[in-house]
């Protein structure tokens, strides 16, 4: 893992955008794995800004989203699909056929839908760069504590912690009980992972994920198993880490010797 602490969430967004832009420059039809939530918003704002101001081109880029709630009516404002349309898809030149996002409809053969999602990712050659946030309980996507480290796209029950944490986006309506999410095995298969975390309410989960044991009880701890995982933090999210000095030194050296790792 490469752990980088930056001054604030805007700096996290800029550094993450450098990495996304670097991947697109090397591979114009790159497959980007995308997450919802507040954590990637500075990244999405920066990508939209670079598209508009600097011509960053998404014409051939393909995107795969992590998850969506199950059972919301199409077009529901709290759905991950609507969120992505609002914060990113509607602001850049992605082609609609290059967007994969789980269908959260509750009807039909849900197991077949999950298998088809995995097949669609494989048909695109897998995910080049997977953007991730982290839940306060250490979840990735909607892979709640207890998710198998090799799990694939499936239907999951949302934990009470997650339903409480995400209540604000539902303005008084009940938060769905279930979701469709790509698995931890799917995430581990991405060629590079990019975890973004800012704010004091992530400090405990970040410390446990990066310095604690690798365990299904804390899904984000799987980053420790990945050969190319980058973690961008602000100082408050990094506050629980005890070995920061080691990580900072590593970043300085790698910035000089292999600058492409961060851009
Ligand atoms: C959500 C999403 C995750 C996200 C996490 C943290 O429930 N399913 O993909 O990373 O919660 O969200 P936030 O970035 O808003 O803290």
């Amino acid at each position: 893992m490469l752990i980088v602490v930056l001054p604030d969430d805007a700096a996290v967004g800029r550094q993450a955008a450098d990495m996304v832009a670097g991947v697109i420059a090397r591979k114009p039809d790159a497959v980007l794995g995308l997450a919802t939530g507040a954590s990637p918003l500075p990244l999405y704002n920066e990508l939209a800004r670079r598209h508009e101001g600097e011509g960053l081109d998404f014409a051939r880029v393909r995107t795969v989203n992590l998850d969506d709630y199950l059972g919301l009516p199409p077009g529901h404002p709290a759905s991950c699909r609507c969120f992505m349309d609002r914060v990113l898809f509607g602001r850049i030149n992605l082609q609609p056929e290059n967007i994969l996002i789980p269908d959260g409809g509750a009807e039909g053969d849900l197991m077949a839908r999950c298998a088809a999602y995995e097949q669609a990712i494989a048909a695109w050659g897998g995910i080049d760069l997977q953007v991730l946030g982290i839940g306060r309980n250490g979840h990735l996507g909607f892979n709640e504590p207890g998710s198998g480290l090799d799990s694939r796209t499936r239907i999951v029950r949302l934990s009470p912690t997650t339903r409480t944490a995400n209540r604000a986006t539902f303005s008084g309506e009940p938060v769905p009980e279930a979701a469709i999410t790509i698995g931890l095995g799917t995430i581990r298969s991405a060629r590079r992972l990019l975890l973004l975390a800012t704010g004091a309410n992530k400090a405990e989960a970040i410390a446990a994920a990066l310095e604690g044991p690798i365990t299904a009880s804390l899904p984000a701890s799987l980053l420790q198993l990945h050969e190319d995982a980058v973690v961008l933090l602000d100082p408050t999210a990094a506050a629980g880490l005890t070995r920061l000095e080691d990580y900072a030194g590593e970043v300085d050296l790698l910035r000089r010797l292999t600058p492409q790792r961060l851009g």
Side-chain angles (χ1 to χ4, degrees), residues 34-41 66-69 80 83 131-137 139-144 158 162-163 165-166 169 179-181 195-198 201-202:
L34 300 179
T36 53
S39 307
L41 281 181
L66 287 171
D67 49 17
D68 211 338
Y69 296 98
C80 296
F83 177 87
V131 175
L132 296 164
I134 182 173
R136 269 173 264 181
N137 63 2
H139 76 200
L140 293 180
F142 277 134
N143 291 280
E144 301 285 26
L158 293 175
T162 298
R163 294 180 71 209
N166 293 2
T169 52
I180 176 169
T181 184
L195 178 73
L196 311 175
T198 52
N201 64 5
K202 298 296 170 69

Side-chain angles (χ1 to χ4, degrees), residues 4-245:
V4 189
V5 182
L6 295 156
D8 52 32
D9 64 346
V12 167
R14 283 193 300 272
Q15 178 61 66
D18 285 349
M19 292 179 59
V20 170
V23 169
I24 296 172
R26 287 188 288 276
K27 185 177 176 188
D29 64 345
V31 178
L32 302 178
L34 300 179
T36 53
S39 307
L41 281 181
L43 163 64
Y44 298 155
N45 288 336
E46 182 64 14
L47 291 177
R49 192 195 66 72
R50 291 187 194 193
H51 169 67
E52 196 151 312
E54 298 167 15
L56 181 60
D57 187 10
F58 293 85
R60 296 174 57 206
V61 171
R62 296 166 292 174
T63 64
V64 175
N65 261 83
L66 287 171
D67 49 17
D68 211 338
Y69 296 98
L70 205 67
L72 293 179
H76 192 288
S79 68
C80 296
R81 172 72 217 211
C82 282
F83 177 87
M84 290 306 301
D85 286 342
R86 258 191 329 267
V87 304
L88 186 67
F89 298 161
R91 305 167 71 192
I92 57 175
N93 64 326
L94 266 185
Q95 302 305 303
E97 66 274 20
N98 288 340
I99 296 171
L100 267 183
I101 188 160
D103 169 1
E107 310 303 321
D109 185 342
L110 297 180
M111 285 185 73
R113 191 188 303 166
C114 294
Y117 202 69
E118 285 287 329
Q119 280 157 14
I121 297 171
W124 276 359
I127 296 168
D128 291 302
L129 175 69
Q130 175 65 59
V131 175
L132 296 164
I134 182 173
R136 269 173 264 181
N137 63 2
H139 76 200
L140 293 180
F142 277 134
N143 291 280
E144 301 285 26
S147 296
L149 298 181
D150 277 334
S151 52
R152 293 278 160 179
T153 303
R154 67 203 187 291
I155 304 301
V156 292
R157 166 188 172 270
L158 293 175
S159 74
T161 342
T162 298
R163 294 180 71 209
T164 305
N166 293 2
R167 209 160 39 196
T169 52
F170 281 86
S171 27
E173 272 180 62
V175 180
E177 291 178 354
I180 176 169
T181 184
I182 74 171
L184 296 178
T186 328
I187 292 171
R188 284 177 62 190
S189 300
R191 283 181 271 283
R192 174 179 269 199
L193 303 182
L194 174 58
L195 178 73
L196 311 175
T198 52
N201 64 5
K202 298 296 170 69
E204 201 179 318
I206 283 293
L210 306 187
E211 293 184 343
I214 298 167
T215 166
S217 298
L218 205 102
S221 63
L222 72 76
L223 261 82
Q224 297 180 43
L225 291 170
H226 199 276
E227 66 173 351
D228 190 356
V230 177
V231 183
L232 304 181
L233 304 171
D234 75 350
T236 56
L241 296 171
T242 60
R243 313 203 52 180
L244 267 181
E245 220 172 283

